[in-house]
Amino acid sequence: MVLRNSKWSLWALALLTLVLFSNVMLYQPIVQQFLVIELDRGAVLGSLVDLVIISPALAYAAFKVSKKQAAGFVIFGLVMARVIIPEEFFAPYTILLYSGISFEALFFLAELGLIFLLLKRIPVIRAEMRSSQTGPIFSFLPAVEKKVSRLPLIRIVASEILMVYYAFFSWRKKVPNHDGVVTMHHKTSAIAMNIMLIHAVAIETIGLHWWLHTKFPILSFILLVLNVYSIVLVLAEIQVTRLHPVEVKNGSMHMAQGLRQRLILPLSNIERVEWGEMKPNKGTMVFMQKDFEDIHPQVILFLKEPVEATLFMGRKEEVSKVALRVDDPERLKGLLKRKEESA
């Protein structure tokens, strides 16, 4: 979840924390004894209002979430109320918990059906990807949204499929090689840093799993799954970095920085270009590979109209400025100059 770009979002987050913390503390025996509090139906009803109505409203004000996700906060509030409120006080309201869970279960089953539909329509999705004439990092999610659904769960599943594809099935793919290609990672330590990260996670997985599996087997299994997922994610990041440099073709500039963000920018939408190493302003999407040194973008593209970029797990964001750092800025300058001359 991402905080909203509003001065009120931090206040809403602070109030949300206060509401949740105060309700949890209210039902602690030591707190009741210290403050000489006796629980009654009024206190329980107040907690239900806090957890089921006020907390979801504050979460919606603090974070960029959909109405469906806000409804999920309501269910979470009911579950939290069941956990912290003693059973003898919560018993009259149990029907609310069962109703909320049933409602959420229906939505989950419907979304599960869409996941099966996604898998069933893979051949149609592949045909749509081929027609777009772009790499899977740019074409897979739009094809899924067009042929299946734009629901957040479907975008998340599609993003995970994309990660698995790049981690295990893209090693025979060739890097684009034509006049419109400008690499971003050759003069950085991005690949080396990712390989070092894989080694560190692998060593930590072996050592920690060996120590934990006899004492805390469940925790050991959870950490093992998370570490394996991390390695797969970093492998996919390496492949996307290798296979998708900045590429200008068909009148558009294709940019990807791992699985974290990607963008197709029509060259005709570039209003002006500023060259020179500088720190980008807030609201600028930066395409720049990691390095051991402190580096800055070489160019900022100011757009005539905002364009939609795709972020991690399929999230969307409107972009009006794009900053880049490439291996050969003169080559990129030539490509952009060619665009200006053609315009």
Side-chain angles (χ1 to χ4, degrees):
M1 294 185 294
V2 180
L3 282 174
R4 294 185 183 275
N5 295 323
S6 168
K7 62 180 181 180
W8 303 110
S9 60
L10 290 176
W11 284 103
L13 179 60
L15 288 173
L16 175 62
T17 305
L18 179 62
V19 168
L20 295 177
F21 179 75
S22 60
N23 277 276
V24 170
M25 296 305 295
L26 175 63
Y27 295 95
Q28 304 305 311
I30 189 172
V31 175
Q32 295 171 16
Q33 293 172 10
F34 181 76
L35 298 177
V36 194
I37 298 173
E38 290 189 12
L39 295 180
D40 56 17
R41 294 173 62 89
V44 173
L45 186 59
S47 291
L48 284 172
V49 172
D50 282 347
L51 297 173
V52 178
I53 299 176
I54 295 177
S55 293
L58 290 173
Y60 187 77
F63 299 103
K64 294 179 180 179
V65 294
S66 65
K67 294 179 180 178
K68 168 66 172 60
Q69 291 170 314
F73 285 125
V74 174
I75 308 303
F76 176 78
L78 285 169
V79 173
M80 186 174 180
R82 176 62 186 86
V83 171
I84 67 174
I85 298 175
E87 186 174 355
E88 62 270 22
F89 289 101
F90 188 81
Y93 308 102
T94 303
I95 186 65
L96 293 177
L97 175 62
Y98 291 154
S99 300
I101 292 176
S102 300
F103 186 72
E104 188 69 16
L106 289 175
F107 270 106
F108 177 75
L109 289 174
E111 292 177 334
L112 192 62
L114 285 174
I115 293 175
F116 284 115
L117 181 62
L118 165 63
L119 298 177
K120 184 179 179 181
R121 290 193 173 179
I122 288 295
V124 179
I125 292 170
R126 292 183 65 182
E128 179 70 20
M129 291 170 63
R130 284 193 293 269
S131 67
S132 70
Q133 297 181 346
T134 58
I137 191 69
F138 300 106
S139 60
F140 181 64
L141 187 57
V144 169
E145 293 175 341
K146 182 177 180 180
K147 298 298 181 180
V148 183
S149 172
R150 293 179 61 91
L151 285 174
L153 178 63
I154 298 301
R155 294 205 299 262
I156 291 172
V157 172
S159 299
E160 296 300 289
I161 293 174
L162 201 59
M163 178 187 70
V164 172
Y165 166 77
Y166 275 101
F168 299 111
F169 303 105
S170 65
W171 294 91
R172 293 186 178 181
K173 295 290 182 179
K174 295 182 179 179
V175 180
N177 185 17
H178 56 82
D179 292 339
V181 170
V182 186
T183 58
M184 288 196 298
H185 68 281
H186 286 164
K187 293 184 178 181
T188 69
S189 307
I191 301 294
M193 291 174 70
N194 281 327
I195 293 174
M196 288 171 57
L197 182 59
I198 290 175
H199 287 162
V201 172
I203 294 171
E204 184 262 347
T205 300
I206 296 171
L208 194 60
H209 180 72
W210 181 265
W211 181 76
L212 278 176
H213 82 282
T214 55
K215 299 182 179 181
F216 307 101
I218 296 178
L219 179 60
S220 174
F221 177 75
I222 293 172
L223 291 176
L224 177 63
V225 171
L226 291 176
N227 285 347
V228 170
Y229 179 88
S230 300
I231 291 174
V232 174
L233 177 61
V234 175
L235 282 173
E237 287 278 318
I238 291 173
Q239 282 300 93
V240 175
T241 300
R242 286 183 55 254
L243 296 175
H244 295 289
V246 176
E247 187 175 8
V248 177
K249 64 178 182 180
N250 300 327
S252 296
M253 181 181 293
H254 298 68
M255 295 166 280
Q257 187 163 353
L259 298 170
R260 286 164 288 169
Q261 57 188 35
R262 58 261 197 195
L263 173 67
I264 297 179
L265 172 61
L267 295 178
S268 59
N269 195 27
I270 299 176
E271 184 176 24
R272 61 189 175 91
V273 180
E274 285 190 7
W275 289 93
E277 295 200 11
M278 65 198 89
K279 286 187 177 181
N281 298 327
K282 186 178 180 180
T284 303
M285 178 164 282
V286 180
F287 289 87
M288 181 175 67
Q289 297 299 338
K290 297 175 292 184
D291 203 351
F292 292 114
E293 301 177 357
D294 187 20
I295 56 177
H296 302 294
Q298 302 153 328
V299 60
I300 297 181
L301 311 178
F302 294 83
L303 310 185
K304 298 176 184 176
E305 298 178 357
V307 295
E308 188 177 71
T310 302
L311 306 182
F312 189 61
M313 292 294 179
R315 292 186 296 113
K316 306 291 184 179
E317 182 177 306
E318 292 290 317
V319 178
S320 57
K321 291 182 290 184
V322 179
L324 297 99
R325 184 179 183 89
V326 296
D327 295 330
D328 189 350
E330 291 300 322
R331 186 169 189 173
L332 179 60
K333 190 178 293 186
L335 292 172
L336 294 175
K337 190 173 182 180
R338 192 185 309 167
K339 166 258 172 188
E340 293 173 359
E341 292 173 351
S342 62

